Amino acid sequence: MEMLLFGVWALLALISFPGATEGLFEVSVWPDQALVKFGESLVVNCSTNCPDPGPSGIETFLKKTQVGRGPQWKEFLLEDVTKNSILQCFFSCAGIQKDRSLGITVYQPPEQVILELLPAWVALDEVFTVKCHVPRVAPLENLTLTLLQGNQELHRKTFMSVAVASQRAEVTIIAKAQREDHRCNFSCHAELDLRSHGGGLFHSSSASKLLQIFEFSQRPQIWVSPLMEVETAETVSCGMARVFPAKELMFQIFLGDQELSPFLSWEGDTAWANATVRAMETGDQELSCLVSLGPMEQKTRELVHVYSFPPPILEIEELYPLAGTDINVTCAGHVLTSPSPTLRLQGAPDLPAPGEPAWLLLTAREEDDGRNFSCEASLEVQGQRLIKTTTAQLHVLYKPRLEESGCPGNQTWLEGMEQKLACVPKGNPTPSLVCTWNGVIFDFQMPQKATQNHTGTYCCTATNQLGSVSKDIALIVQELNEDISSIVIILIAALGIGVFSIALYFNYLPCKIEGRKSPYRQNEKNKEEESQFAVQAETCNTHDC
């Protein structure tokens, strides 16, 4: 309809200006800018203002189909447009031909943006590559690619200067791995700006890629005892130092084919795993630890020797013998112990021969009640001496006894004081004790406020399954006044002795000081005594003494 109106307008213009010639006619094309998505179709209309046009049409290498026409216009359908091209629209009028060009631009939005991170796991201080490319995009000179680390822009590239023949949209950067780059997301954003061609703005982004930084230079270490007892829980540890990130380290610990369940711990750049193991078979076995971090693996091995050494067997012929009974005590190695251990029985006179039990024959006495016996077995495994000990206690049964040390026959209470009757029987089984006073059972375990009425003789009887024994206890309650008088006399005597000692000390002290400080005066006194003695001797001689 627009082309028809345009033709009518042109015809009226020629009629209005009868002096116009056919050589002044014009050719026009619609649209004036052609932007076609790759592989789609385009409708082109060619028209002229010539009142009686001659031959007309379009010239293009594209597949074309005329879909409409009028006296002064033609319309064509261009199908499967995949390349940029220039179309020529022509008309002739009065033997003169004119044409009009139409540039066709093919575009392809960046529907697929591919990001490559090589390698995904990179060693600390090593280089890694971030590469982004768009497989199909056009026109390339309108494309911008931006590399992002998180939300931070790393690099931006445009393709204005790229040769027209090139269709490769790619941007690449190379960087050195740092710890702060660990677990960073990298992505690529593509933008195709067709506003200068009368089109719009197209955006597309790649999927994010995670960068993993690691330091994994040392071998793991195993801490385990070289000797392991069969069916006994043991703790093993496997650790690795100077590793990053330590918390992402994976541990697998094996004893032979048995995989253990480790408990992981971390501190700084060190990680370790602890596990509990029970070896079920004897002999040499391999303990291995496999440590992995991303694509990296390290394995270390240790050889352990599994041995069997149950505690020795201690047998007492009768654990509860009567006093005077002969009993046997035997100490033997367990049948699962190999080779046979060396045995030692406490109290046995001699060591047994290898492979033979140790034994002891004794007569149970009352003093043996509560006696402990020990059976010691020693075994050398891989050059290491191992010792296991089994103990047992002997309980000798005997009749009750009321000894003077535990149940004195004479006891004294202080009048007015809280007192208890002291009587502890001996015997096994532990005897029960009953005390009577004047034929009445007396509660000897309850403290009593002592009075003169408690004075008297008490009868105590101890009983167990083997018999009974009785004892009389004479109890005297001492008056409080007598006790105080005795205490006062003792205090006065002690005070007098103390005062006399102090006076004697201070009386003797000046003499000691004088003797120490004046040796010259002492010598003078001695000379004076010698002179007096000489005079007396001479007088005696004169008077015939």
Side-chain angles (χ1 to χ4, degrees):
M1 180 62 70
E2 290 180 356
M3 295 300 101
L4 180 60
L5 291 175
F6 177 78
V8 172
W9 172 83
L11 180 61
L12 291 175
L14 290 175
I15 296 173
S16 302
F17 301 97
T21 65
E22 288 81 355
L24 297 178
F25 77 97
E26 298 292 337
V27 176
S28 61
V29 63
W30 180 91
D32 55 353
Q33 277 187 323
L35 188 63
V36 186
K37 189 175 182 180
F38 181 87
E40 294 190 354
S41 302
L42 173 67
V43 175
V44 177
N45 188 289
C46 290
S47 61
T48 181
N49 57 0
C50 177
D52 186 18
S56 62
I58 61 173
E59 291 183 357
T60 179
F61 65 85
L62 299 173
K63 180 182 178 182
K64 61 182 178 179
T65 303
Q66 184 173 315
V67 293
R69 63 174 299 165
Q72 294 174 297
W73 59 275
K74 288 183 178 180
E75 195 169 69
F76 299 89
L77 175 66
L78 306 180
E79 297 180 89
D80 193 22
V81 181
T82 58
K83 292 183 180 181
N84 294 343
S85 62
I86 297 178
L87 176 146
Q88 298 291 336
C89 176
F90 66 91
F91 274 93
S92 62
C93 185
I96 300 173
Q97 180 174 313
K98 286 187 177 182
D99 56 31
R100 176 66 63 89
S101 299
L102 174 64
I104 300 175
T105 302
V106 176
Y107 76 94
Q108 190 167 5
E111 296 175 350
Q112 185 181 18
V113 182
I114 300 173
L115 179 76
E116 296 179 8
L117 196 58
L118 301 172
W121 283 81
V122 57
L124 185 66
D125 295 328
E126 296 294 327
V127 297
F128 64 96
T129 301
V130 184
K131 178 181 178 181
C132 174
H133 68 278
V134 182
R136 292 175 296 275
V137 62
L140 199 58
E141 61 269 17
N142 294 94
L143 179 68
T144 301
L145 290 181
T146 305
L147 288 177
L148 300 171
Q149 181 176 343
N151 296 322
Q152 180 183 358
E153 183 178 312
L154 290 180
H155 185 71
R156 179 187 292 265
K157 182 178 179 180
T158 60
F159 298 85
M160 294 294 296
S161 59
V162 176
V164 177
S166 174
Q167 294 297 316
R168 187 173 181 82
E170 181 181 294
V171 59
T172 302
I173 64 170
I174 297 176
K176 181 180 286 189
Q178 305 295 327
R179 286 199 177 196
E180 53 268 22
D181 297 328
H182 179 60
R183 299 192 68 81
C184 283
N185 281 311
F186 289 82
S187 61
C188 181
H189 182 74
E191 180 182 272
L192 185 65
D193 189 356
L194 300 178
R195 289 175 293 185
S196 62
H197 295 277
L201 194 62
F202 298 90
H203 297 274
S204 186
S205 296
S206 70
S208 297
K209 292 291 184 71
L210 191 68
L211 180 67
Q212 304 272 18
I213 309 297
F214 70 90
E215 185 177 7
F216 197 76
S217 58
Q218 296 190 351
R219 293 182 62 83
Q221 288 185 313
I222 292 179
W223 291 274
V224 62
S225 172
L227 297 179
M228 190 176 295
E229 189 170 1
V230 68
E231 297 184 4
T232 301
E234 296 281 351
T235 299
V236 299
S237 298
C238 179
M240 194 169 186
R242 291 184 59 189
V243 60
F244 175 83
K247 289 191 176 182
E248 296 185 27
L249 211 61
M250 302 296 293
F251 287 88
Q252 287 182 287
I253 304 178
F254 297 87
L255 179 64
D257 296 331
Q258 176 189 358
E259 184 172 2
L260 311 182
S261 299
F263 176 77
L264 307 184
S265 302
W266 310 271
E267 184 176 348
D269 288 347
T270 301
W272 63 93
N274 296 324
T276 300
V277 59
R278 291 179 185 269
M280 306 309 294
E281 297 179 358
T282 59
D284 292 334
Q285 296 192 39
E286 182 182 85
L287 182 73
S288 61
C289 177
L290 177 66
V291 183
S292 59
L293 181 62
M296 306 297 295
E297 286 186 352
Q298 292 273 18
K299 190 173 185 179
T300 189
R301 301 173 176 86
E302 289 287 343
L303 198 64
V304 296
H305 181 75
V306 182
Y307 65 92
S308 177
F309 184 25
I313 300 171
L314 176 61
E315 292 182 342
I316 300 179
E317 185 179 9
E318 178 62 54
L319 282 177
Y320 294 87
L322 290 172
T325 304
D326 292 336
I327 58 173
N328 284 311
V329 181
T330 306
C331 170
H334 199 282
V335 293
L336 295 180
T337 305
S338 179
S340 298
T342 301
L343 301 172
R344 183 185 299 273
L345 174 62
Q346 180 184 4
D350 301 312
L351 292 177
E356 295 295 326
W359 62 275
L360 175 66
L361 176 63
L362 60 89
T363 301
R365 301 170 302 169
E366 294 181 9
E367 299 83 41
D368 292 324
D369 184 36
R371 179 178 175 181
N372 290 312
F373 290 89
S374 67
C375 172
E376 179 184 281
S378 62
L379 181 68
E380 186 172 336
V381 180
Q382 301 286 306
Q384 184 174 341
R385 178 66 61 178
L386 305 176
I387 295 177
K388 292 284 185 75
T389 302
T390 301
T391 60
Q393 191 175 58
L394 181 66
H395 303 275
V396 180
L397 305 179
Y398 59 95
K399 294 180 180 180
R401 294 203 312 266
L402 293 174
E403 297 179 346
E404 188 66 19
S405 59
C407 188
N410 296 291
Q411 300 184 26
T412 301
W413 287 5
L414 187 61
E415 186 177 11
M417 304 297 291
E418 294 285 339
Q419 302 286 338
K420 288 174 63 176
L421 196 65
C423 188
V424 179
K426 286 188 176 182
N428 191 18
T430 302
S432 61
L433 183 67
V434 176
C435 295
T436 59
W437 178 48
N438 295 331
V440 178
I441 295 177
F442 178 76
D443 189 356
F444 68 95
Q445 293 182 336
M446 179 67 68
Q448 307 284 333
K449 188 173 183 180
T451 66
Q452 291 298 326
N453 292 333
H454 287 103
T455 300
T457 300
Y458 295 78
C459 179
C460 292
T461 302
T463 305
N464 66 9
Q465 292 88 331
L466 302 179
S468 63
V469 63
S470 298
K471 184 175 183 178
D472 289 336
I473 300 174
L475 177 63
I476 298 174
V477 178
Q478 189 176 16
E479 293 183 5
L480 186 61
N481 292 336
E482 295 179 3
D483 187 63
I484 293 177
S485 300
S486 301
I487 294 174
V488 170
I489 293 172
I490 293 172
L491 291 176
I492 292 175
L495 181 62
I497 294 172
V499 171
F500 177 75
S501 300
I502 293 172
L504 183 62
Y505 173 77
F506 282 103
N507 184 55
Y508 178 68
L509 184 60
C511 296
K512 291 181 65 179
I513 295 174
E514 185 70 21
R516 291 178 181 176
K517 291 187 177 181
S518 306
Y520 174 74
R521 292 182 181 178
Q522 184 66 36
N523 293 335
E524 289 294 327
K525 184 176 181 181
N526 293 339
K527 289 180 181 181
E528 184 178 350
E529 290 177 353
E530 290 176 358
S531 299
Q532 291 178 358
F533 178 77
V535 172
Q536 290 177 359
E538 185 178 355
T539 303
C540 288
N541 291 332
T542 305
H543 295 282
D544 297 328
C545 294

